[in-house]
Amino acid sequence: MACATVFQKNSILRWGIIVLFFALNVIGVQCATASITFTDITEKTGITFKHVDGSSGEFYIMETISAGLALFDYDNDGDIDIYFLNGSALKGAEYKTTPRNALYRNDGNLKFTDVTEQSGTGDTGFGSGVTIGDYDNDGDLDIYLNNYGPNVLYQNNGDGTFTDVTKKAGVADGARLGAGACFLDTDNDGDLDLYVSRYVEFSYDKNVIFTIEDYPAYPSPVVYVPEPDALYLNNGDGTFTDISKESGIAKHRGTGMGMVCGDYDNDGDVDIFIANDGIENFLFQNNGNNKFEEIGLIAGVAYDFAGKQYGSMGVDCGDYNNDGLLDLYVTSDRWTSLYKNLGNGLFEDVTFSTSAGDGMHNYASWGTGFADFDNDGDRDIFVAIGHIQPNVDKYSDHLTYFARNEILMNTGDGKFVNITDKAGDGMKVKLSTRGAALGDMDNDGDIDIVVLNSRREPTILRNDSVNDNHWIEIHLKGVKSNRNGIGAHVKVVTKDLSQLDEVHSGRGYQGHYGLRLHFGVGKHKKIDRIEVKWPGGTVDVLKNVKADQVITITEGKKTTQ
């Protein structure tokens, strides 16, 4: 989170490269026709949640990182519910009503009911990040919160209620300032372990006073001491063991915000990418036996193509070019970066050659995700935008605190076009967005968007794209593997199209979405082959599957429904 930094001299080279690529692509951008449309339906949903960041005018750094959100089916009724994180009163702030997180039940037709009270999920801590997973393998999804202060693990009771089991599980992680989190199966033993980021060491007496042109402002995290993250091993009995030191994770101090876990090298175990704020990014390669090696610099994802580091915020991984390899898209305080997986353990920053950063310059970008919004068989990109500094309007002639979010449409030839201007009234909303989550909220076969806006109400965007493309949505049910198949690779093959995706728990900007995998398949009414490679190596194959349906694949049974 860099604040009003002055470009170094070598930035002139970068600007020259940017101008060159924009000139080469301007004709294609001008001629692009959007086939993706979003409508803002927030007022019709029944959602009344409003985010607060606990601010009292002291500009505490944690105010900027709040907060992520989660989309998941908490009650197993077949539709996706929403869990919003909230801040809490920081020193000097007071609220008439105590802020808390909020769980909204999806009642169908994009109508939601606040079930926070009866569900018992209204944590009043200062929320930063959230991840979802069935850590106890009992068939329902649990919630883990990464807070400023003690973290929280809510166990799903299966009856619409949750129980705080943090103390029993041993995952409070102390009174730290946390950000993102992920459930993952580090050792492929069938239960979910837990990765928890720790942002910076903070206490009120260490608060750094910072100004920009005499206006109060938030400082960069580099003025604080970074913290090493934590890795907790699931013991299989409802408890976890901290293996941060033994695993190698604790050797590296970072400023982790967003993160995603994925098997980028296709070797059968899950690796961990950390988007660090103000320093180089981390890529922890899983070497087996719960041992990790940090190889971000070697792999080419620690910095951008010019060797620069920025305030990385969020990250998602997905196969944007359908070559069977998981690529990375990273947001930051100034640029976005698309890292193409080369398949040999290396990545290449292809942001400008693909136009994947078009329209994203100078504004801070936060939540993000790969998704096939128009079901044409390739993955587009959503980027949440919002300036860090609330006073920026007072000292800048071209930057504003509120900004619109952005849509990049995949053109199918390895490039992207920014179609935000043509993508419906939902993309005209200007607020300061943080978390973003993508999912088929109305079960109509296309991906909708939910965003959490700092200090404001959220925005719910319905996908109203019109086309005759087809789709398939896949829910996994593990037997030997963890219950939701987190870490599984799923390949969907039609005659002229092969797509890969992976099940993640925790992604984007300190949030969670996408346990039900969505594939657009274009004009194909039938999928020739669905291949599931489960964590641990078991493979299931389904053939001749009808499109335009949600199916469940159970490990070892090859059944659909």
Side-chain angles (χ1 to χ4, degrees):
M1 183 178 56
C3 300
T5 57
V6 178
F7 281 152
Q8 302 295 323
K9 290 181 179 180
N10 64 1
S11 293
I12 297 173
L13 173 62
R14 179 179 183 116
W15 274 110
I17 294 172
I18 293 171
V19 171
L20 173 62
F21 279 112
F22 282 0
L24 292 174
N25 287 284
V26 68
I27 296 176
V29 172
Q30 289 176 342
C31 296
T33 300
S35 59
I36 299 172
T37 302
F38 286 96
T39 304
D40 178 7
I41 60 162
T42 309
E43 292 184 358
K44 300 177 181 179
T45 62
I47 293 172
T48 58
F49 171 82
K50 185 176 181 180
H51 174 262
V52 301
D53 60 9
S55 54
S56 63
E58 297 298 325
F59 284 75
Y60 301 123
I61 192 169
M62 71 283 289
E63 298 168 21
T64 67
I65 71 171
S66 181
L69 76 154
L71 302 185
F72 71 114
D73 185 2
Y74 86 95
D75 52 2
N76 284 331
D77 66 349
D79 51 31
I80 300 171
D81 311 296
I82 308 174
Y83 189 67
F84 293 108
L85 266 62
N86 215 347
S88 63
L90 299 175
K91 186 177 180 180
E94 295 182 1
Y95 295 95
K96 292 182 179 180
T97 302
T98 302
R100 66 179 184 179
N101 299 344
L103 178 62
Y104 281 86
R105 185 185 66 219
N106 190 335
D107 296 326
N109 297 316
L110 293 169
K111 303 293 185 182
F112 295 84
T113 298
D114 187 339
V115 294
T116 308
E117 190 68 33
Q118 59 258 49
S119 66
T121 56
D123 183 53
T124 56
F126 191 95
S128 297
V130 57
T131 191
I132 304 295
D134 187 359
Y135 84 94
D136 52 2
N137 276 334
D138 65 349
D140 45 43
L141 292 168
D142 311 297
I143 304 171
Y144 184 79
L145 304 176
N146 201 357
N147 291 337
Y148 168 50
N151 296 342
V152 176
L153 176 61
Y154 283 123
Q155 183 182 47
N156 193 326
N157 299 320
D159 59 359
T161 67
F162 291 77
T163 299
D164 183 342
V165 295
T166 314
K167 184 176 181 180
K168 174 186 175 182
V171 290
D173 204 50
R176 294 182 167 91
L177 172 52
C182 287
F183 280 115
L184 70 162
D185 189 354
T186 64
D187 48 7
N188 290 332
D189 66 348
D191 52 32
L192 293 176
D193 311 300
L194 178 64
Y195 189 99
V196 182
S197 77
R198 299 164 177 170
Y199 189 48
V200 294
E201 294 182 4
F202 178 88
S203 61
Y204 287 116
D205 61 342
K206 294 180 180 179
N207 183 47
V208 175
I209 305 300
F210 188 75
T211 62
I212 299 176
E213 296 189 11
D214 295 327
Y215 291 99
Y218 293 108
S220 167
V222 299
V223 304
Y224 294 98
V225 177
E227 286 238 54
D229 294 341
L231 179 62
Y232 291 94
L233 186 70
N234 193 327
N235 298 320
D237 59 359
T239 67
F240 291 79
T241 298
D242 187 340
I243 61 167
S244 307
K245 292 182 179 179
E246 305 94 299
S247 66
I249 298 298
K251 294 179 182 178
H252 305 275
R253 286 181 174 267
T255 49
M257 298 186 82
M259 64 185 65
V260 68
C261 300
D263 184 8
Y264 83 94
D265 50 5
N266 288 338
D267 66 349
D269 50 36
V270 65
D271 311 294
I272 307 167
F273 179 89
I274 309 297
N276 281 319
D277 187 0
I279 66 172
E280 71 276 10
N281 300 317
F282 293 157
L283 177 58
F284 289 107
Q285 184 181 53
N286 192 333
N287 294 328
N289 298 316
N290 289 316
K291 302 293 184 182
F292 289 84
E293 180 182 1
E294 202 289 294
I295 60 165
L297 179 61
I298 297 171
V301 295
Y303 306 97
D304 73 356
F305 79 97
K308 301 287 289 183
Q309 63 191 33
Y310 296 101
S312 295
M313 308 293 197
V315 58
D316 195 22
C317 68
D319 184 8
Y320 82 92
N321 56 351
N322 290 336
D323 64 352
L325 301 167
L326 294 174
D327 312 295
L328 294 167
Y329 193 79
V330 184
T331 59
S332 82
D333 64 336
R334 194 172 296 276
W335 317 102
T336 58
S337 297
L338 175 61
Y339 294 100
K340 178 183 176 181
N341 192 333
L342 301 179
N344 55 0
L346 301 177
F347 289 81
E348 178 186 1
D349 184 343
V350 296
T351 310
F352 298 106
S353 62
T354 62
S355 296
D358 184 16
M360 251 59 76
H361 311 299
N362 291 325
Y363 272 101
S365 50
W366 306 80
T368 190
F370 287 105
D372 188 355
F373 293 118
D374 51 4
N375 287 335
D376 64 348
D378 49 41
R379 297 187 181 278
D380 314 296
I381 301 173
F382 176 81
V383 183
I385 307 291
H387 207 281
I388 298 165
Q389 305 293 354
N391 288 326
V392 66
D393 308 66
K394 298 176 182 178
Y395 56 79
S396 174
D397 293 331
H398 63 284
L399 296 177
T400 57
Y401 182 63
F402 292 148
R404 71 178 190 181
N405 299 318
E406 305 282 342
I407 289 281
L408 297 167
M409 184 175 70
N410 193 323
T411 59
D413 59 356
K415 295 186 178 182
F416 293 86
V417 174
N418 190 319
I419 61 165
T420 308
D421 287 335
K422 307 173 184 179
D425 66 56
M427 299 308 300
K428 299 183 187 302
V429 177
K430 289 187 176 183
L431 292 170
S432 190
T433 300
R434 296 297 184 263
L438 318 178
D440 185 0
M441 305 303 294
D442 50 2
N443 286 333
D444 66 347
D446 53 32
I447 296 295
D448 311 296
I449 302 172
V450 181
V451 300
L452 184 148
N453 299 307
S454 180
R455 304 179 177 183
R456 290 291 295 269
E457 71 280 358
T459 305
I460 317 299
L461 300 176
R462 184 182 64 207
N463 191 333
D464 287 333
S465 305
V466 178
N467 56 60
D468 56 359
N469 292 330
H470 300 279
W471 53 275
I472 187 82
E473 293 183 1
I474 299 170
H475 174 258
L476 298 185
K477 185 177 181 180
V479 178
K480 294 182 179 180
S481 303
N482 66 83
R483 182 61 69 98
N484 292 102
I486 291 168
H489 276 201
V490 178
K491 185 182 293 184
V492 170
V493 181
T494 55
K495 291 181 180 179
D496 57 354
L497 182 64
S498 178
Q499 301 179 73
L500 171 73
D501 203 358
E502 180 175 332
V503 185
H504 305 293
S505 168
R507 65 199 298 186
Y509 179 71
Q510 301 172 183
H512 170 92
Y513 60 90
L515 286 182
R516 191 170 73 189
L517 300 182
H518 176 98
F519 295 86
V521 294
K523 306 305 178 186
H524 301 282
K525 297 181 180 180
K526 182 183 69 174
I527 290 88
D528 296 328
R529 175 185 173 92
I530 299 176
E531 178 181 301
V532 182
K533 184 178 180 181
W534 298 87
T538 302
V539 177
D540 286 327
V541 176
L542 283 73
K543 296 182 178 179
N544 299 320
V545 179
K546 183 180 178 182
D548 302 326
Q549 62 169 325
V550 180
I551 67 171
T552 296
I553 300 177
T554 302
E555 185 177 12
K557 294 186 179 181
K558 305 178 184 178
T559 58
T560 67
Q561 65 180 35

